[in-house]
Amino acid sequence: MVLLKKVKSINKDILERVGLQWHTDPDGSPYISDEVILISEKEAENYYQAANEIYNMMIEAGEYIIQNNLFNELEIPFNLIDIIKISWENDEHWHLYGRFDFAGGVDGKEIKLIEFNSDTPTGLVETAVIQWLILKYNDFEEKQFNNVYETILNNFKQLDTSKKILFSSYDGSLEEIETVKLLENIAKDAGFEASFEFLHRVQFSEEGIFDANDNRFEYWFKLFPWENIGFEEPNLVALLNQIYKKNRAIILNPPYTLLFQSKGILKILYDLFPNSPYLLKTDFKPLKNIKQVEKKMFGREGANTKIYDENGNCIEKTDGEYENYKSIFQEYYEFPQDEFGNSYQAGVFFAFEGAGLGFRRGNKILDNMSKFVGHVII
C-alpha cells in the first residue's frame, strides 16, 4: 500500500506566484494534493535506473524502426519521415526532456513502463517547482528525487547558446503557457537569448522560423504535438522539410521523438527486449487470455482507453477524441493504491538521465482530472 504523509497546503496566491495558475480543477477540488508519498532511497534509485535503462532501449528501438521502415506500424505521418531521419542522424537535434509513466516502484512492486511522453510532456512545473516548494513550506529535512531543473539546464547547455531560441505554446492553456515559460527561464539561465511567441503568431519560410516581429530564431521549442503537425498542417510540414534540409533551424523536441511518443513503440520494445523486467507484453492485436489495456497510438491523458478482463470483456473505459487512431494492447498491471482504492502512477522526467519523480492519483484509468502528489525520500 502507498505510504502517505499529510502536509500543509500551499495557498493559491503562493502557487500563482511560482507559476501554477491551474491549481483548482473544474469540480472545485485542489489539483495539488495535501499529502506526499513516502519512498525509500532505494525506491528512488530504482526509478532513476529504470528511466536510464529504458531510454537506452528506446534508442535501439528507434534505430530498428528506421532501419526496417516501420513508420506505418507506429502510425507516423508519412510527411514527417524525412525530418525524423534528419533529426535522428544529427546530434545537434538534442532531445531536451521527456517523462516516463510507470506503474509500480513502491510497496515492493516491480517498475513497469506504461508509456513515454517524449514530445510534449507536461507536469514539469509541478515536479520541478511545486513539490520542492511543498518540501520547504513544510520544513521537511528529508530530500526528493528532483533534479529536473538542473538536468534540463545542462541539456540546454549541450546546444549552441550563442544562437537565439524561441518558445511557443497554444494560447488557450494556462498549463502549457506556464510549462513553456519555465523552460524559457531555464534556457536563459543556460545562457540563451530567449523569447516567447504564441503558436499562431510564429512565422515560417524556407529560410527559417520567425516571431511576429520578423526576428529569426535558430532554435524553436513548441509545446504542440508532432503528430498534429503531420496530420493537420501539410503546408507547414513542407516548409519544415525545407528548413531542415537547408539546416536553417532546429526544433525541440526533435521530430524523432514522435517515434517514442507513439505507443506503437511499446510493441517494438517488447519484441526486441522480451525478457526486460520493465516491459509489459504488448501487441498490435488483442492479447489472448490475459487482462489487458487498449490504448490509442497518440492518445493522451487516459482518453479512449479500455481495460479488458481475461475473457475479453470490457470492464473499464474512457471516451475521448483519439478514437480514429490505431490501437495497441498492453498487458494490465495494477497501479499501487492507497487505503481508499486510489491509484498512483509515477512520472519520471528524463533529460539525458533520470531527472525527477512525481505522482498522479486517480482511478484505474488516470485521466485529466488526476491529482498531482509530491514525494519525500525517508
Side-chain angles (χ1 to χ4, degrees):
M1 186 172 292
V2 172
L3 297 176
L4 296 167
K5 181 175 182 176
K6 202 79 171 176
V7 296
K8 289 189 299 182
S9 300
I10 302 174
N11 66 55
K12 69 181 185 66
D13 292 333
I14 296 174
L15 291 174
E16 288 175 2
R17 283 205 300 272
V18 297
L20 195 79
Q21 305 289 329
W22 61 99
H23 45 69
T24 305
D25 280 326
D27 62 359
S29 62
Y31 166 55
I32 304 296
S33 172
D34 60 357
E35 297 170 313
V36 292
I37 293 180
L38 304 179
I39 68 170
S40 68
E41 188 81 52
K42 179 61 176 173
E43 288 169 335
E45 177 66 20
N46 289 342
Y47 280 124
Y48 172 78
Q49 292 294 342
N52 294 346
E53 291 183 31
I54 294 171
Y55 194 82
N56 287 335
M57 291 191 287
M58 286 272 179
I59 295 296
E60 289 193 41
E63 182 66 24
Y64 181 84
I65 292 163
I66 291 171
Q67 293 300 322
N68 291 277
N69 198 32
L70 300 179
F71 300 101
N72 185 59
E73 283 80 351
L74 273 67
E75 209 164 1
I76 303 298
F78 74 92
N79 55 359
L80 293 178
I81 292 174
D82 284 349
I83 59 174
I84 286 173
K85 290 179 177 179
I86 291 171
S87 65
W88 183 261
E89 294 165 0
N90 189 329
D91 289 342
E92 281 189 285
H93 297 261
W94 196 256
H95 188 186
L96 189 61
Y97 80 113
R99 191 194 73 237
F100 287 104
D101 287 341
F102 291 136
V106 296
D107 196 25
K109 295 183 181 295
E110 288 188 325
I111 295 171
K112 299 293 183 183
L113 174 64
I114 300 302
E115 59 196 51
F116 185 32
N117 303 278
S118 61
D119 178 19
T120 57
T122 52
L124 185 64
V125 177
E126 302 94 300
T127 303
V129 179
I130 301 303
Q131 67 170 342
W132 175 84
L133 186 61
I134 290 171
L135 197 73
K136 300 304 177 185
Y137 193 70
N138 284 270
D139 297 320
F140 289 155
E141 295 183 2
E142 294 89 348
K143 58 183 179 178
Q144 294 173 338
F145 169 27
N146 186 10
N147 302 314
V148 180
Y149 197 101
E150 293 81 2
T151 53
I152 294 178
L153 178 74
N154 289 335
N155 263 359
F156 273 120
K157 290 180 178 180
Q158 300 299 317
L159 307 174
D160 186 348
T161 57
S162 68
K163 297 178 178 178
K164 293 191 296 183
I165 184 168
L166 181 66
F167 290 84
S168 298
S169 73
Y170 174 62
D171 66 355
S173 169
L174 284 172
E175 179 180 9
E176 293 181 11
I177 292 168
E178 296 302 335
T179 297
V180 171
K181 289 288 190 178
L182 175 59
L183 289 166
E184 181 187 358
N185 287 334
I186 300 175
K188 288 177 178 177
D189 284 349
F192 269 104
E193 180 183 341
S195 299
F196 178 88
E197 189 77 271
F198 285 119
L199 284 165
H200 70 277
R201 292 170 59 85
V202 180
Q203 308 296 316
F204 305 89
S205 78
E206 292 185 5
E207 295 308 310
I209 298 173
F210 304 81
D211 66 11
N213 295 318
D214 209 30
N215 298 304
R216 191 171 80 84
F217 292 83
E218 292 89 352
Y219 292 103
W220 180 47
F221 179 91
K222 47 91 197 144
L223 197 67
F224 189 75
W226 273 112
E227 70 271 17
N228 287 24
I229 294 173
F231 288 128
E232 301 170 9
E233 303 287 347
N235 293 334
L236 173 57
V237 173
L239 285 173
L240 294 180
N241 270 282
Q242 292 303 313
I243 289 170
Y244 266 55
K245 288 173 181 175
K246 293 181 176 183
N247 195 27
R248 300 296 291 170
I250 289 174
I251 301 174
L252 306 170
N253 279 311
Y256 69 73
T257 57
L258 188 56
L259 301 179
F260 304 157
Q261 184 73 37
S262 169
K263 293 179 181 61
I265 200 170
L266 299 170
K267 197 268 187 192
I268 305 299
L269 284 170
Y270 189 77
D271 287 348
L272 295 177
F273 307 101
N275 298 318
S276 169
Y278 299 121
L279 301 181
L280 296 165
K281 186 175 183 180
T282 308
D283 209 334
F284 294 138
K285 59 183 183 296
L287 306 172
K288 293 183 178 179
N289 304 317
I290 187 172
K291 191 173 183 180
Q292 60 197 277
V293 181
E294 179 184 1
K295 299 189 283 191
K296 296 301 178 178
M297 288 288 186
F298 295 111
R300 294 170 185 266
E301 295 185 318
N304 301 105
T305 298
K306 298 177 182 177
I307 301 176
Y308 299 93
D309 65 16
E310 294 83 350
N311 299 314
N313 301 307
C314 181
I315 57 176
E316 201 94 25
K317 69 176 182 178
T318 57
D319 296 324
E321 58 184 285
Y322 305 102
E323 190 61 41
N324 291 331
Y325 287 115
K326 294 191 293 188
S327 297
I328 61 106
F329 297 85
Q330 184 183 54
E331 178 185 355
Y332 180 81
Y333 191 78
E334 194 83 51
F335 287 115
Q337 295 184 332
D338 61 23
E339 60 180 317
F340 304 106
N342 297 307
S343 296
Y344 291 79
Q345 177 178 275
V348 176
F349 278 90
F350 186 90
F352 189 73
E353 63 178 340
L357 170 67
F359 290 88
R360 292 169 65 208
R361 176 171 66 201
N363 300 315
K364 288 186 180 295
I365 300 174
L366 282 87
D367 56 22
N368 60 359
M369 290 295 287
S370 302
K371 308 300 184 183
F372 179 81
V373 187
H375 76 284
V376 171
I377 297 174
I378 56 173

